[in-house]
Amino acid sequence: MSMSSDNFNEMAYTDRYIQYVAQGVGFIAGVVSFSLGILNCLTLKSACFAAGTILSIIGTILIVLEAPLCCIGLACTNRVYEFSQRFSYLLRAVVYFVAAVVPLLLCLLSPTVWLGAAPVATCGVLYGVRAFRRDQRDRGFEGDAEPAGGEQPGSKSNLVTGRAK
């Protein structure tokens, strides 16, 4: 059974809103990660200093990838943004989630690393939701395994027809 055009349009609008929210969260995550990464670099532990540096780099990359208008003074920002738009949403989700975990592995007990990595992971989760919704829309998934009114088109009935076997 194919999806009705209303459901298809509703999913398309919802997907677009999820994309905008993910880009907004990505920008905010970039600013927070950059700021808290710099703050974390003030520590005396070398592993936490490395985690803060990585978190700052991740924040900078997120700002360039998700909100290129904030870096309009850089000549390469548009090319980097257009290049990043070629990647699938699932790949972005995995990269953002892994990027959030790496600083946590280096400095597990620092709350600034946790607060800086959490928005990056949230952005990854939002892109994952976007990827799975797009996959469901492309496959024609409507949410029910079987229509309430009867059997699937093209399937054989399991009802007894009255003939003896």
Side-chain angles (χ1 to χ4, degrees):
M1 180 182 291
S2 65
M3 294 180 62
S4 69
S5 63
D6 291 338
N7 287 342
F8 183 78
N9 289 336
E10 183 179 321
M11 278 187 94
Y13 286 130
T14 304
D15 288 345
R16 187 176 301 145
Y17 291 137
I18 290 174
Q19 179 181 356
Y20 292 151
V21 168
Q23 284 182 333
V25 168
F27 171 70
I28 293 169
V31 171
V32 169
S33 297
F34 181 79
S35 303
L36 291 177
I38 294 296
L39 183 65
N40 202 45
C41 286
L42 301 176
T43 187
L44 298 176
K45 295 179 182 178
S46 61
C48 289
F49 180 80
T53 304
I54 291 171
L55 205 54
S56 299
I57 292 169
I58 290 169
T60 304
I61 291 171
L62 271 173
I63 291 171
V64 169
L65 293 181
E66 299 298 332
L69 293 176
C70 295
C71 304
I72 204 159
L74 299 174
C76 66
T77 304
N78 261 351
R79 286 183 288 172
V80 170
Y81 178 73
E82 288 170 5
F83 176 73
S84 72
Q85 294 301 312
R86 289 189 235 161
F87 296 120
S88 70
Y89 293 115
L90 188 60
L91 180 65
R92 286 187 204 179
V94 170
V95 167
Y96 287 165
F97 198 78
V98 169
V101 170
V102 170
L104 289 175
L105 293 176
L106 291 174
C107 188
L108 192 61
L109 299 177
S110 175
T112 55
V113 173
W114 279 92
L115 291 174
V120 178
T122 303
C123 184
V125 168
L126 286 172
Y127 273 115
V129 168
R130 171 85 163 103
F132 287 124
R133 284 188 56 87
R134 177 178 246 181
D135 185 46
Q136 287 177 350
R137 188 187 70 206
D138 291 346
R139 290 184 184 187
F141 181 74
E142 290 187 20
D144 292 332
E146 181 177 325
E151 61 187 52
Q152 296 277 349
S155 65
K156 294 184 178 181
S157 175
N158 293 330
L159 298 175
V160 178
T161 59
R163 286 192 251 160
K165 292 186 179 183

